[in-house]
Amino acid sequence: MRTGTYLVVGFLAAATWWLASRGSHSVSALYRRPPSPGYYFKDATLTETDDTGKINLTLLTRSAQQDSDTRLIQLHDINVEYQTQEDARWHLTADEGSMPTGANVLTLHGHVVMHALGGSAQGAVIRTDTLSLDRASLVASTTNAATIEWSPHQLTARGLRIDLTRKTLELENAVHGTFRR
């Protein structure tokens, strides 16, 4: 009879071990929360003001979506009105853009066009595939090919840097252009 009891206890122990080892999950895995979703907007208007409350940037986008893992904000079909402190106005358009949450750099991608609407650069148009706009330092830049049109003049270059505060344009390399008087 003792042998039978040992066999039953041994069988129950083996069965318990076998059941416990199948599909075991740690307690933390069972109670782990999924990542919180980022936000999503359709037909959004984002407005940025300076310390005095003056609007210096208005961004219109068909959609804005924040990636919950990277916190990167993806924008689609973008129109930007940008006002510098010197009252020069710029209008930018692009197919897409991205901006890390809390960062000052807006990166525009696809058919980027930047028009000067006021100030000393009025009438200038810049075209490129990618443009980064640093809103803190008021610098727009690209390492890609760019065309600068300021009728009747036209320049092409690979890479440029525009300091909107100092009103300077630096062309990096492969510069070609035509100027007529």
Side-chain angles (χ1 to χ4, degrees):
M1 177 114 157
R2 282 191 131 170
T3 306
T5 304
Y6 289 127
L7 284 174
V8 170
V9 170
F11 175 77
L12 288 174
T16 302
W17 171 82
W18 182 74
L19 287 173
S21 66
R22 289 183 32 158
S24 66
H25 300 286
S26 69
V27 172
S28 63
L30 292 174
Y31 293 101
R32 188 175 302 137
R33 290 184 177 179
S36 61
Y39 59 81
Y40 180 83
F41 295 108
K42 290 182 81 173
D43 298 320
T45 301
L46 308 170
T47 304
E48 179 180 87
T49 60
D50 63 14
D51 295 337
T52 67
K54 178 183 168 196
I55 295 174
N56 57 14
L57 181 131
T58 302
L59 184 145
L60 294 101
T61 181
R62 185 176 40 83
S63 66
Q65 183 173 0
Q66 182 188 44
D67 183 292
S68 61
D69 294 330
T70 64
R71 312 285 292 165
L72 186 70
I73 302 167
Q74 297 289 341
L75 308 163
H76 301 281
D77 193 13
I78 302 164
N79 281 284
V80 178
E81 291 289 333
Y82 194 69
Q83 181 91 29
T84 66
Q85 297 167 349
E86 305 272 325
D87 290 331
R89 289 183 23 241
W90 295 87
H91 180 82
L92 294 93
T93 58
D95 295 339
E96 298 179 342
S98 59
M99 184 171 48
T101 301
N104 287 321
V105 178
L106 169 65
T107 304
L108 302 171
H109 309 281
H111 303 102
V112 180
V113 180
M114 183 175 178
H115 295 269
L117 301 178
S120 61
Q122 184 167 348
V125 178
I126 298 156
R127 300 175 195 280
T128 186
D129 288 330
T130 302
L131 185 76
S132 294
L133 177 63
D134 186 325
R135 298 178 345 267
S137 64
L138 299 175
V139 170
S141 62
T142 185
T143 57
N144 292 358
T147 301
I148 301 98
E149 300 166 355
W150 202 352
S151 186
H153 312 297
Q154 182 176 11
L155 285 172
T156 59
R158 177 162 282 301
L160 63 81
R161 182 179 188 279
I162 306 165
D163 187 321
L164 300 171
T165 304
R166 292 188 359 229
K167 301 177 187 173
T168 60
L169 167 67
E170 298 172 17
L171 303 174
E172 295 185 6
N173 59 47
V175 178
H176 303 282
T178 304
F179 281 83
R180 295 185 186 104
R181 285 190 173 218

